[in-house]
Amino acid sequence: MSLRPALRIAGRELRGGLSGFRIFLACIALGVASIAIVGSIRTAIQNGLTQEATTILGGDAQAEFTYRKASPDELAWMQANAEQISETLQFRSMAVKENDRALVQVKAVDDHYPLYGTVTLDPEIPLAQALSNNGFIAERALVERMSLKLGDTITLGTNSFTLNAILTHEPDNASAGFAFGPKVILNSQSLQGSGLLEPGSLFDSAYRLKLPETAKLPALQADAQSRFTATGLRWTDSRDAAPGIARFVRRMGSFLTLVGLAGLAVGGIGVAAAVRSYLDRKTDTIATLKTLGATGNTIFTIYLTLIALMGALGVAVGLTLGAAIPAFLGPLLADSLPVPALFAIYPRPLLEAALYGSLGMFAFALWPLASARDVKAGGLFRAKTGAASWPRWPYIATIFAITAALVASAAYLTEMPQLTLWFAAGIITSLIILRLNARLTRWLAARLATLLSQGRPALRLALRAIAGPGSEATSVILSLGLGLTVLATIGQVDANLQNVMRSELPAVAPAFFVLDIQADQIEPFSQITASDPDVSKTQTTPMLRGFITRINDQPAKDYVGHGHWTLEGDRGVTYSANPPEGTILTAGTWWPESYDGSPQVSFATEEAAELGIKLGDSVTVNILGRDITAQITSFRDVEFRDMGINFLMVMNPKALEAAPHTSIATIYAQPAAEGRLLRNVASQFPNITMISVREGIASAAQNLASLAAATRWGSMATLLSGLVVLIGTAAASERSRTYEAAILKTSGAERGTNLLSFALRSAFAGAAAGIFAVGAAALASWAIVTFEMDSNFDFQPLSAIAIVAFGTLASLLAGLIYAWRPLSMPPAQVLRAQD
């Protein structure tokens, strides 16, 4: 039979409508839609960041410095290349109103701010007017926190400022990064005499540049870095205005895409089951065609065409949903997002979703289809199943090739190849183990039916049904198990992180981090804390920050050869004549107390090993624009998680003590003393900033909770696909349950016994899926928490119980819904229909 008759027969099959393909279509559409939605939202944010780059950055380019302003040479270079320059200073401080105090993020701007975009205020007054005469504007969170009204006065340092408006929109807020407190904006001129920007104070300066249209950003960046990188200049421009946000969006979008692919894998189980079920119902048709001379290839072509057309319809439905939902809901989402997003219909994420959906559909549909082509016509007429155990090797090779193409596409398009490969390996391994788990469940059911079911007819019927041929347990465990595994893993990781924050904070964390302590304030500050009976310990140390620029006289990034967090920004540096309290040297020796030779440094052991440096090597650190090259003379253990004062590098005093700097401190105190300490220190030293560790941890926990919620919502697509397959499995078994119920009724079984039997088999299969999910999630989350997050894993039983209960309940409800009709039909009517 040629291709044309095969296509004609496939077309005739379609005249029967979509009966038998509803679950098939739902699985494909749901998987494609979830991936398309994630991709569309990610693209909308990326395009928003690109289109609004100059507004987000605050200029065409930005030069940033740590704890200092630009030098005359640096400022002269900027003035020579820019049409206009705007200087902003950012630091933390304590806002004081009578006896109320709050930590705020201060942004001091000049008269040119903003170069791009508009600051929106309530009431709508010009920014210059709001900041005139020591005026300030603040985010609503601070206004509500301190019960401020327009015209009220607060104190920052030693100066007073008047609230003239509430900040409702800040154009460059997306590039500001993490803040410990609400934003306050004021004019930098009003800070004179406040004591907040003394030599050594902790602040960042940024110079936004408005460039001529003819300016070439790559050339300007190269020129700036060749001239000033050694002085600590950090360059950003509108080509990548918010690199941290863009990186987070890419990674989060890629991760959610992978979760969507897990949902597609679950849906693939439904696709395979739907194809197998459809072909089983076409037994007579296939047998007749083979009797009339149709070859296996003809049968394969007929139903491959049919499945391809149905798959194309499912992909089209998924793409329609994936394009429509972000486009219609985009305007609502845009207002709640902290970054600009341009919602529209974007071809690329839709094409990616279509590619994943098509490859996934063929990967799962080919196996039952290839199996059906090789069954003999005589076997089909004898009502044997249309599925052979294994298809021919060319079809198996094709399935593996399609699967490899799917994984390779995901690795390339998500830009996270290593994670994608591990994720794919995890899904494939999970499916294999789930299959083995299904076989084990059926084996156990057969044994338990013999051992435990005496005198329990409902239990015996349920166990025999699970163990017997045509059991639905395999489909239930495969479909529900993978979705529950993804959800359980996220739940275990989230619970572990939350548990670490709750359990470890009271035992190890200080009450406050204290910044900007001037040299003449250290002694009276220590007297305040020492006199408080609820303060157990105060630690004070000098504080500077610098950039590691060179290792062994080579550029640091070239020497290391890969990215490392210690090289990505400025790092804390201190000095000490003697090893700080609790120091554990792992190699080398500390310098003598009176040492006054060339600079020496003690480096953190773990980070040194990661950077590939050893004793005797040299490290160059740029501090306040000056390069200091020190020889590594010792390594020491540093535990950054204990929230005490820890430094990557400690130098000998002569190397740093002449540089302008302040000191930092940690205060360990009972919660009851925190308010009192805050008032006493802030009233005597208005320039000192006190950061509540508990509030910082609470803010971090809230951010983690939001991230976990996003991943949970993403995993819901996987779980929803599993539920669709579960419902499809229950629906497909309705005919066999109807016949089974009729036989049992004829044999004298009561309606309650039949109903309990159906309920038990569904509950057992769901529980088996949930138990597997808990075990797999425990292993996966242990690996994530232990190796990726470097924390101790603690199994969370409540999360596990919830997963098992959900799996059991979901399977039970689906089974009962499709058991009601079989139990209500008269046995005689059912049995006559079988004749």
Side-chain angles (χ1 to χ4, degrees), residues 576-821:
S576 179
N578 299 300
E581 180 183 351
T583 296
I584 300 176
L585 293 181
T586 60
T589 58
W590 204 266
W591 42 84
E593 184 173 355
S594 58
Y595 176 76
D596 63 354
S598 59
Q600 295 185 3
V601 62
S602 177
F603 213 92
T605 301
E606 182 177 348
E607 283 66 30
E610 293 170 353
L611 292 172
I613 55 180
K614 58 187 183 299
L615 290 177
D617 287 349
S618 65
V619 175
T620 301
V621 185
N622 185 277
I623 299 176
L624 297 176
R626 174 193 168 200
D627 278 342
I628 298 176
T629 301
Q631 183 183 29
I632 299 174
T633 57
S634 67
F635 294 130
R636 69 194 194 288
D637 279 335
V638 177
E639 182 55 73
F640 291 101
R641 290 180 301 175
D642 66 8
M643 299 183 188
I645 296 180
N646 292 298
F647 288 91
L648 182 72
M649 295 170 284
V650 180
M651 292 189 179
N652 62 295
K654 186 176 177 60
L656 296 178
E657 60 186 358
H661 65 276
T662 57
S663 292
I664 64 171
T666 53
I667 304 175
Y668 293 78
Q670 297 297 320
E674 293 183 6
R676 181 170 64 249
L677 284 168
L678 190 61
R679 290 191 298 271
N680 292 340
V681 173
S683 61
Q684 188 166 341
F685 307 111
N687 66 292
I688 288 179
T689 300
M690 298 181 68
I691 301 175
S692 171
V693 174
R694 299 181 192 279
E695 292 181 2
I697 293 296
S699 177
Q702 184 177 1
N703 290 336
L704 284 174
S706 300
L707 185 61
T711 54
R712 275 197 297 269
W713 278 109
S715 69
M716 286 299 177
T718 305
L719 187 60
L720 185 56
S721 296
L723 294 177
V724 169
V725 178
L726 179 66
I727 293 171
T729 301
S733 64
E734 188 176 25
R735 287 180 58 190
S736 63
R737 289 190 181 193
T738 301
Y739 183 72
E740 181 183 347
I743 294 294
L744 291 174
K745 288 179 182 179
T746 304
S747 302
E750 297 180 355
R751 181 187 180 93
T753 300
N754 292 338
L755 181 61
L756 181 58
S757 170
F758 290 155
L760 287 174
R761 72 175 71 171
S762 298
F764 286 164
I771 291 171
F772 166 82
V774 168
L779 180 62
S781 53
W782 167 79
I784 293 171
V785 172
T786 302
F787 298 109
E788 292 296 325
M789 300 180 178
D790 194 21
S791 185
N792 295 323
F793 177 74
D794 184 19
F795 182 72
Q796 302 296 314
L798 291 179
S799 175
I801 292 171
I803 290 295
V804 175
F806 182 86
T808 304
L809 183 61
S811 181
L812 176 62
L813 290 177
L816 288 178
I817 289 173
Y818 286 95
W820 196 258
R821 183 181 175 188

Side-chain angles (χ1 to χ4, degrees), residues 73 85 133 152 156 163 187 312 376 378 409 414 478 509 544 560 576 580 582 593 600 607 619 681 713 782 830:
D73 287 344
I85 301 173
N133 300 320
D152 283 355
L156 293 169
L163 177 65
N187 192 287
K376 303 298 183 183
S409 300
T414 61
L478 282 171
L544 300 95
V560 175
S576 179
E593 184 173 355
Q600 295 185 3
E607 283 66 30
V619 175
V681 173
W713 278 109
W782 167 79
V830 175

Side-chain angles (χ1 to χ4, degrees), residues 87-288:
E87 179 193 69
T88 64
L89 309 174
Q90 294 207 54
F91 57 93
R92 291 174 290 270
S93 185
M94 302 299 298
V96 180
K97 178 193 174 188
E98 299 174 352
N99 291 325
D100 195 6
R101 289 161 175 80
L103 178 68
V104 295
Q105 187 78 21
V106 179
K107 181 174 182 176
V109 303
D110 60 13
D111 296 334
H112 300 300
Y113 175 84
L115 294 179
Y116 293 97
T118 304
V119 176
T120 306
L121 305 177
D122 181 17
E124 297 180 0
I125 60 175
L127 179 63
Q129 178 183 338
L131 302 186
S132 63
N133 300 320
N134 276 28
F136 79 97
I137 59 177
E139 291 180 321
R140 193 172 300 276
L142 179 67
V143 174
E144 295 175 351
R145 160 70 176 79
M146 301 187 74
S147 301
L148 295 173
K149 301 184 298 296
L150 295 181
D152 283 355
T153 299
I154 65 170
T155 300
L156 293 169
T158 58
N159 290 3
S160 296
F161 299 85
T162 302
L163 177 65
N164 288 331
I166 297 172
L167 175 63
T168 58
H169 173 69
E170 181 187 6
D172 54 340
N173 185 53
S175 62
F178 178 77
F180 280 94
K183 179 71 62 67
V184 166
I185 298 180
L186 45 79
N187 192 287
S188 55
Q189 295 298 319
S190 62
L191 288 174
Q192 294 181 3
S194 66
L196 293 174
L197 295 179
E198 298 299 315
S201 295
L202 308 183
F203 71 95
D204 291 320
S205 65
Y207 295 82
R208 277 77 181 270
L209 312 179
K210 187 174 184 179
L211 301 172
E213 292 184 2
T214 57
K216 305 296 184 182
L217 287 174
L220 278 177
Q221 179 182 7
D223 189 25
Q225 291 179 337
S226 65
R227 292 170 181 264
F228 305 118
T229 295
T231 67
L233 178 147
R234 301 192 302 281
W235 176 275
T236 311
D237 59 51
S238 56
R239 293 171 297 170
D240 192 8
I245 294 175
R247 185 166 52 251
F248 174 79
V249 169
R250 285 195 301 270
R251 290 179 177 177
M252 192 66 184
S254 298
F255 176 76
L256 290 177
T257 298
L258 294 178
V259 173
L261 288 175
L264 197 62
V266 175
I269 299 168
V271 166
V275 171
R276 184 176 292 110
S277 176
Y278 179 82
L279 293 175
D280 285 346
R281 288 198 299 273
K282 292 295 179 178
T283 295
D284 293 341
T285 302
I286 296 173
T288 301

Side-chain angles (χ1 to χ4, degrees), residues 470-652:
S471 171
E472 64 204 50
T474 299
S475 294
V476 171
I477 292 173
L478 282 171
S479 60
L480 198 57
L482 188 57
L484 290 176
T485 298
V486 175
L487 190 62
T489 301
I490 293 171
Q492 287 286 331
V493 172
D494 179 45
N496 266 270
L497 291 178
Q498 298 292 339
N499 185 57
V500 166
M501 290 187 173
R502 288 192 301 267
S503 61
E504 291 188 7
L505 176 60
V508 301
F512 290 104
F513 282 119
V514 188
L515 309 177
D516 291 332
I517 307 174
Q518 299 293 327
D520 60 349
Q521 296 174 333
I522 294 176
E523 185 174 347
F525 166 79
S526 300
Q527 291 175 354
I528 292 176
T529 59
S531 63
D532 194 308
D534 291 326
V535 175
S536 58
K537 182 172 65 173
T538 302
Q539 293 179 316
T540 306
T541 189
M543 169 70 170
L544 300 95
R545 297 191 73 84
F547 299 86
I548 299 176
T549 58
R550 304 183 74 81
I551 298 175
N552 290 334
D553 205 29
Q554 297 181 39
K557 293 185 179 180
D558 293 344
Y559 181 87
V560 175
H562 59 83
H564 193 274
W565 67 270
T566 59
L567 308 179
E568 296 302 323
D570 57 300
R571 299 292 155 225
V573 187
T574 190
Y575 61 85
S576 179
N578 299 300
E581 180 183 351
T583 296
I584 300 176
L585 293 181
T586 60
T589 58
W590 204 266
W591 42 84
E593 184 173 355
S594 58
Y595 176 76
D596 63 354
S598 59
Q600 295 185 3
V601 62
S602 177
F603 213 92
T605 301
E606 182 177 348
E607 283 66 30
E610 293 170 353
L611 292 172
I613 55 180
K614 58 187 183 299
L615 290 177
D617 287 349
S618 65
V619 175
T620 301
V621 185
N622 185 277
I623 299 176
L624 297 176
R626 174 193 168 200
D627 278 342
I628 298 176
T629 301
Q631 183 183 29
I632 299 174
T633 57
S634 67
F635 294 130
R636 69 194 194 288
D637 279 335
V638 177
E639 182 55 73
F640 291 101
R641 290 180 301 175
D642 66 8
M643 299 183 188
I645 296 180
N646 292 298
F647 288 91
L648 182 72
M649 295 170 284
V650 180
M651 292 189 179
N652 62 295

